[in-house]
Amino acid sequence: KNEIDLLADARVAFDRALELYPDYSLALYCSGLLYSELNDKVSACKDLRRAGQLGMKVAFDAIREIMAD
């Protein structure tokens, strides 16, 4: 599989995990990083903000990095 296929597979996996466990902070964090990789800053920050609110404080650092770009 190429990188695009792998990113698409990851997107499906994170969406499924969050459907089952909407407060799963690690999935939200990883989903946010994936959105960032896909240049979707709005969705990235949304998922990262929620991960941070759930206790994953490193997510706020990721938001700062995304917004600095």
Side-chain angles (χ1 to χ4, degrees):
K1 287 188 172 188
N2 63 31
E3 184 178 0
I4 298 298
D5 291 335
L6 292 174
L7 292 173
D9 288 349
R11 176 79 271 136
V12 169
F14 291 131
D15 287 347
R16 180 69 176 140
L18 292 167
E19 180 181 307
L20 295 172
Y21 307 100
D23 291 337
Y24 185 15
S25 62
L26 181 58
L28 284 161
Y29 177 75
C30 292
S31 177
L33 295 180
L34 177 59
Y35 276 126
S36 177
E37 187 67 25
L38 297 171
N39 295 314
D40 183 348
K41 288 184 178 185
V42 172
S43 295
C45 289
K46 177 182 173 226
D47 281 357
L48 289 167
R49 185 179 327 106
R50 182 73 180 127
Q53 291 168 341
L54 290 168
M56 185 165 279
K57 301 304 180 195
V58 69
F60 295 123
D61 295 331
I63 291 171
R64 281 189 283 279
E65 288 181 29
I66 290 168
M67 297 314 292
D69 286 342

